[in-house]
Amino acid sequence: MLKKGFALMQKMIFCLFCILFGAGTLLAVEVCGEPKHIAAIRKKAEAGDVESQSLLGSHFYLDLADGRETQEKAVKWLRAAATQGHVQSQYFLGRIFATSCPEKYFRKDDEVALKWWRMAAETGYADACKSLGNVFFEGHGVRRDRKESFKWYRKAAEQGDHRAQRRLGEHYRFGHGVSKDLVKAYAWYELALHCMPEWQRPRLGDRASLEVDRETLAQKMSLEQSGKAQKLAKELLKEIEVNKKK
């Protein structure tokens, strides 16, 4: 029963991926309805269609726990799409090689992960920018560089990524790669709370801890500083909204 439930959940995620990344609702319904339609996607992928390669790779990516063959197929098709410049595939390849778990047959390789994430990040892809920020902040496969992490977090934060916005707040709060600035730290914390998706807000752990961080800062600030922080947060939000329309 649990196995069937997990399989259904995987199909639902794949459907969502189809819809979000341009394959369309009809394809999502067809793929989730009958396995034979995977063969149709494979045929297009083998003919060099980059979207089909990405969808096929993502399909196998969702089944990584199924063994070596499935993982090899995921990497094969994601790499085929990634080498043609498909940004989401570049990002997912980075995730595969950056992750370490007992079920994986591919060894963790920070250099390979960095290569694919940088490729995607240079196009401005927010998730890849945030991942690069994490790499340089923690020093995974590279020398720890907080100025570089700030740079990439900023690129993701300006697109509305709430986790990157929180990281920027931490950089300003503790002086990681930039001068300490409580006003800017508070503003980015405020933005992170505002930009957190509705479906994630019930996850009280993330939101509650962020609210604690913001209130801790507020206690150290004057009324004048608090006013400046609120004003800055509104200005940054306007810039983010403009960026989303581009």
Side-chain angles (χ1 to χ4, degrees):
M1 181 67 71
L2 288 175
K3 189 172 182 181
K4 288 183 179 179
F6 183 66
L8 178 60
M9 182 181 70
Q10 288 179 319
K11 287 185 177 181
M12 290 173 66
I13 295 172
F14 185 46
C15 288
L16 180 61
F17 184 90
C18 293
I19 295 168
L20 289 177
F21 295 117
T25 307
L26 179 60
L27 176 58
V29 171
E30 289 180 340
V31 169
C32 291
E34 293 290 342
K36 65 182 181 181
H37 289 89
I38 296 296
I41 298 175
R42 186 194 300 276
K43 186 175 181 180
K44 290 183 180 180
E46 290 172 344
D49 182 74
V50 66
E51 290 296 335
S52 297
Q53 290 171 344
S54 177
L55 283 172
L56 195 57
S58 300
H59 169 71
F60 291 119
Y61 173 80
L62 293 172
D63 288 327
L64 282 184
D66 279 0
R68 180 185 297 275
E69 184 178 357
T70 300
Q71 294 180 26
E72 288 176 346
K73 288 177 181 177
V75 171
K76 170 187 174 181
W77 290 113
L78 287 173
R79 182 179 282 132
T83 53
Q84 294 192 67
H86 195 277
V87 177
Q88 289 91 355
S89 297
Q90 293 167 351
Y91 169 69
F92 279 126
L93 274 177
R95 285 192 61 174
I96 288 174
F97 286 101
T99 305
S100 179
C101 62
E103 296 83 7
K104 280 188 61 180
Y105 289 92
F106 286 95
R107 67 180 179 84
K108 187 174 183 291
D109 193 323
D110 290 327
E111 289 187 8
V112 174
L114 177 64
K115 165 193 167 183
W116 291 114
W117 277 340
R118 186 183 291 279
M119 203 175 292
E122 286 174 352
T123 72
Y125 190 61
D127 283 336
C129 291
K130 177 179 61 184
S131 296
L132 267 191
N134 292 337
V135 166
F136 285 105
F137 187 83
E138 302 293 344
H140 293 308
V142 295
R143 182 178 59 83
R144 182 177 292 179
D145 188 335
R146 298 293 167 79
K147 287 185 179 180
E148 193 71 7
S149 65
F150 176 86
K151 165 188 167 182
W152 291 108
Y153 283 138
R154 178 100 194 193
K155 288 179 181 292
E158 289 174 345
Q159 296 180 63
D161 189 294
H162 70 282
R163 291 191 177 90
Q165 290 166 349
R166 181 174 188 173
R167 286 288 197 164
L168 276 188
E170 292 169 354
H171 275 61
Y172 280 118
R173 180 182 179 183
F174 299 109
H176 294 321
V178 291
S179 299
K180 286 186 180 181
D181 191 321
L182 297 187
V183 169
K184 291 181 179 178
Y186 186 98
W188 283 108
Y189 281 161
E190 185 74 12
L191 266 181
L193 285 166
H194 178 85
C195 292
M196 186 178 290
E198 289 290 341
W199 63 269
Q200 253 187 328
R201 292 183 182 185
R203 296 173 60 184
L204 296 179
D206 287 348
R207 186 171 183 82
S209 64
L210 180 52
E211 288 176 339
V212 168
D213 286 343
R214 183 189 61 179
E215 295 311 309
T216 300
L217 276 181
Q219 293 172 12
K220 299 178 180 179
M221 297 165 65
S222 65
L223 288 177
E224 182 182 0
Q225 287 177 312
S226 296
K228 287 182 179 179
Q230 293 289 350
K231 181 181 178 181
L232 177 59
K234 291 177 181 178
E235 292 172 353
L236 290 169
L237 181 59
K238 287 182 181 179
E239 291 177 9
I240 289 169
E241 290 173 345
V242 170
N243 288 336
K244 286 183 177 180
K245 293 177 182 178
K246 290 181 180 179

